Amino acid sequence: MQMRLNHINLVVTDVAKAIRLFEQHLGFTCLENRKDAVGVMKNEENFILIFWSSKLNKTTTVSYPENFHIGFYQQDKEAVVKIYEGLKNEDVTFDSEPRKLRDTFGFYFHFDKIMIEISVLPA
């Protein structure tokens, strides 16, 4: 049997805000929101992403290792720019505008202690 990634669980300080951002800008659908403590999301490829409230941890501190990030591929540069433009009105910080990254085109942004990469699938 081939091993397949089942889900990723990310700790955030505001589950409702994470759900809204990922639904509006990153193509996820909320399957379940358990009292803003646990949010279960799914995208078109049936990938499951879980948001876990930091309030459920022994300490409410949220931290990830330096350079830890999650990344999402887009079809083309236009899709990357569209997401970038949509995120400008959100509570996120950008490392830069969309630009050449390694062998692709994209950008990084930070949301609730999580670094997220949006880029074009390299050819």
Side-chain angles (χ1 to χ4, degrees), residues 13-46:
T13 58
D14 190 331
V15 170
K17 193 173 180 181
I19 288 171
R20 189 184 64 73
L21 184 101
F22 275 69
E23 281 185 322
Q24 289 186 356
H25 300 285
L26 301 178
F28 280 79
T29 301
C30 182
L31 300 177
E32 186 175 358
N33 181 350
R34 300 178 195 150
K35 300 179 182 179
D36 292 338
V38 177
V40 181
M41 310 285 294
K42 181 171 92 168
N43 70 3
E44 291 176 350
E45 278 116 28
N46 292 315

Side-chain angles (χ1 to χ4, degrees), residues 78-96:
E78 291 76 20
V80 170
V81 171
K82 182 178 178 181
I83 291 172
Y84 175 79
E85 291 297 327
L87 289 169
K88 283 183 174 181
N89 296 319
E90 298 292 342
D91 185 19
V92 301
T93 56
F94 298 97
D95 284 2
S96 70

Side-chain angles (χ1 to χ4, degrees), residues 96-115:
S96 70
E97 294 183 349
R99 60 184 172 80
K100 182 172 175 26
L101 297 174
R102 298 170 310 279
D103 295 329
T104 187
F105 176 84
F107 66 96
Y108 290 91
F109 72 99
H110 300 263
F111 165 76
D112 200 347
K113 308 285 186 188
I114 303 169
M115 181 166 52

Side-chain angles (χ1 to χ4, degrees), residues 41-93:
M41 310 285 294
K42 181 171 92 168
N43 70 3
E44 291 176 350
E45 278 116 28
N46 292 315
F47 176 74
I48 301 295
L49 177 62
I50 299 170
F51 293 116
W52 184 272
S53 174
S54 60
K55 295 174 187 170
L56 300 175
N57 289 354
K58 291 178 183 174
T59 68
T60 58
T61 304
V62 176
S63 68
Y64 290 95
E66 185 178 358
N67 294 315
F68 170 85
H69 68 281
I70 57 175
F72 298 99
Y73 284 132
Q74 301 303 304
Q75 290 179 289
D76 50 38
K77 288 182 178 182
E78 291 76 20
V80 170
V81 171
K82 182 178 178 181
I83 291 172
Y84 175 79
E85 291 297 327
L87 289 169
K88 283 183 174 181
N89 296 319
E90 298 292 342
D91 185 19
V92 301
T93 56

